[in-house]
Amino acid sequence: MNQTMKLPSGVSIPKVTREEADRRCYLTRELLNLMHLSPVGDPVAFGQDEGEEVVYFYDPARVSETPAELWYRDPSVPAEARETMTLESGTEIERIPTKRAMALGFYTKDRLDQMNYDVVQEPVAYNVRKDGTTLYFYDKRAAVRRPLKCVVCGQDVRYKRKMCRACFEKDLAIRRAQGDAYRAGSFNMDRSRVLFFDLELTGVYNHDEIISVTILDANGVIRMDTLVKPLHKKKWNRTEKIHGISPAMVQDAPTLDELTPAIKEMFDNADNLIAYGVSTDYSHIKYIYESEADRKALQKKTRCAANEFVRYQNEHYPDKVHAALVDAMECLGIEWDGIPHSSIADTIACMRVWEALFPNYYSTPTPEFPDYTEECAAAPSVAHNPLEDAEEAAHV
């Protein structure tokens, strides 16, 4: 074949290989049709496929969007072979195979009704069955989706949880009763073996380090409340603005390696380890254990107060959407000890939220908790790390 071709318009275009066309980002007619685009002007090159047929290439900078009534046409069908029909409105639509119609997102009125759509525009194509009856196809994108029906009764419009209001209220009453019964159960836990903890970090990634640890038991005894000197991070400007812990504040603090034996001893002797948004804290504290078996044993002990509060809130206050620790405190009517979002205050708050949710969790009644005024006043002003806050919101 010649290396150039003269088009009917008089323009000569060169022959290129498929590799050269791809390098120049040329588009074939097939690709243009898939993207619902039409070329503006003549092709800029041509090539030959394995079947010796000529393939024309078009400049991607010289294309326009194909009109909606034309883009579905099969370019392999010659214009003289197309069958058309004129609707009462005067619109001309083309006959296309049923499989092609479905591939293009065109469906019959009955099929769209099954998909919960109402047809609001005239058909865009048609086909004829063997028995001579006509099938009209409608563009799904131009149809209007009806409000979904309740998955329980199938009658009324959905309100929440895929149910109508009446069915939702019935389901809510059942879930609330089950949740209240679960929370009111007797767990017979030893207060000295239930620990609450909170960590502060240099950042939001796995490679970030712990810079604060607070551990409290269910008797209200502070087992550990200390800053931690990171081994690798020298500054954390962004998170310092959030939790208030500066590099200077942790300069003389113990390292996590130095604290690990004491933390392990407390954790190993505990039956439960509870935090508000526990997965973030666990993902960092687990590295004090070397074996995967020990890490899994630690994870098995952990409980998330945020998860339990979200369940309670969904059962009693389904319209509320925020479930951070401050929201739990407000919802349960619990007063803060110290400044909200400080590390020690958050650990104390987590303990109080847990006791409010599970009044019979322990084998002994609620003790007279210590006055934490001095401890909270002396503690650095720290806040939950951003991942934990995001995690709490994600539970909603």
Side-chain angles (χ1 to χ4, degrees):
M1 180 178 286
N2 294 333
Q3 296 303 305
T4 61
M5 175 188 292
K6 191 170 185 179
L7 300 176
S9 63
V11 175
S12 293
I13 57 174
K15 180 181 179 182
V16 297
T17 63
R18 174 67 72 168
E19 291 74 18
E20 178 67 13
D22 289 342
R23 188 180 66 81
R24 298 183 183 183
C25 300
Y26 288 161
L27 301 174
T28 63
R29 265 288 190 179
E30 182 180 7
L31 286 173
L32 288 170
N33 285 321
L34 288 174
M35 293 186 288
H36 304 164
L37 298 174
S38 297
V40 176
D42 295 321
V44 293
F46 75 98
Q48 233 175 348
D49 61 17
E50 295 179 356
E52 299 298 319
E53 294 185 4
V54 175
V55 177
Y56 292 101
F57 299 108
Y58 297 86
D59 185 348
R62 298 171 59 193
V63 297
S64 63
E65 186 174 355
T66 305
E69 66 273 12
L70 298 176
W71 64 258
Y72 62 83
R73 287 183 173 174
D74 188 345
S76 64
V77 179
E80 60 273 12
R82 301 185 189 278
E83 296 182 44
T84 62
M85 171 190 291
T86 302
L87 303 175
E88 292 183 3
S89 64
T91 302
E92 187 179 85
I93 60 175
E94 186 174 318
R95 179 177 178 177
I96 62 174
T98 301
K99 286 186 178 180
R100 179 167 173 77
M102 295 179 65
L104 295 170
F106 298 164
Y107 300 92
T108 64
K109 185 177 292 186
D110 289 342
R111 183 69 185 99
L112 286 170
D113 181 66
Q114 294 173 2
M115 297 164 68
N116 216 46
Y117 282 87
D118 287 326
V119 171
V120 295
Q121 294 185 7
E122 58 188 7
V124 293
Y126 77 100
N127 196 8
V128 180
R129 293 192 182 100
K130 291 182 179 179
D131 61 6
T133 57
T134 302
L135 282 177
Y136 291 100
F137 299 118
Y138 301 83
D139 190 346
K140 180 183 176 183
R141 296 171 301 174
V144 176
R145 187 168 188 174
R146 297 192 296 267
L148 297 176
K149 298 295 184 180
C150 172
V151 296
V152 177
C153 68
Q155 300 298 319
D156 295 327
V157 175
R158 293 182 184 182
Y159 169 64
K160 287 183 180 180
R161 294 172 66 93
K162 299 184 179 181
M163 292 178 279
C164 65
R165 182 182 286 272
C167 292
F168 173 78
E169 293 294 345
K170 292 178 182 177
D171 177 73
L172 179 62
I174 295 172
R175 290 189 291 111
R176 182 186 297 130
Q178 292 173 342
D180 288 346
Y182 158 67
R183 286 183 289 271
S186 297
F187 294 83
N188 203 37
M189 300 298 296
D190 183 341
R191 286 183 176 274
S192 63
R193 295 177 64 83
V194 176
L195 301 181
F196 298 87
F197 71 102
D198 182 56
L199 308 178
E200 302 303 330
L201 310 171
T202 59
V204 300
Y205 302 106
N206 288 337
H207 59 73
D208 281 298
E209 298 179 77
I210 297 170
I211 53 176
S212 175
V213 178
T214 300
I215 303 174
L216 188 74
D217 69 23
N219 286 308
V221 177
I222 299 174
R223 300 286 192 90
M224 179 179 289
D225 181 37
T226 180
L227 294 172
V228 182
K229 182 179 180 179
L231 297 178
H232 307 290
K233 299 290 183 177
K234 301 303 180 183
K235 57 182 180 179
W236 41 91
N237 296 335
R238 295 183 64 180
T239 51
E240 181 182 342
K241 296 176 182 178
I242 299 171
H243 54 50
I245 301 177
S246 67
M249 293 170 65
V250 300
Q251 187 61 40
D252 298 323
T255 65
L256 185 62
D257 289 341
E258 294 172 325
L259 295 169
T260 290
I263 296 174
K264 277 186 174 180
E265 182 179 2
M266 286 186 278
F267 282 6
D268 292 345
N269 291 324
D271 293 327
N272 283 167
L273 302 168
I274 304 171
Y276 203 93
V278 74
S279 65
T280 300
D281 290 334
Y282 168 76
S283 67
H284 286 82
I285 199 67
K286 69 180 181 181
Y287 291 112
I288 67 173
Y289 292 94
E290 296 180 356
S291 73
E292 190 62 29
D294 287 338
R295 291 174 184 176
K296 288 183 177 179
L298 175 68
Q299 186 177 33
K300 191 175 181 179
K301 293 181 178 183
T302 59
R303 303 289 183 272
C304 184
N307 284 349
E308 297 297 345
F309 173 70
V310 166
R311 176 178 176 178
Y312 168 82
Q313 180 174 257
N314 287 342
E315 293 165 355
H316 287 266
Y317 305 99
D319 292 330
K320 291 185 178 294
V321 296
H322 299 294
L325 183 54
V326 290
D327 302 302
M329 294 289 282
E330 180 181 357
C331 179
L332 298 171
I334 303 172
E335 297 293 330
W336 284 87
D337 285 288
I339 302 172
H341 300 307
S342 66
S343 180
I344 187 170
D346 282 0
T347 308
I348 296 168
C350 179
M351 176 185 67
R352 296 192 186 282
V353 165
W354 192 265
E355 183 128 351
L357 292 173
F358 297 95
N360 302 314
Y361 194 70
Y362 307 105
S363 57
T364 56
T366 304
E368 188 68 32
F369 288 126
D371 183 355
Y372 297 105
T373 304
E374 183 176 344
E375 288 85 350
C376 290
S381 177
V382 295
H384 278 303
N385 64 72
L387 272 186
E388 186 171 289
D389 293 337
E391 178 187 77
E392 294 170 13
H395 288 305
V396 179

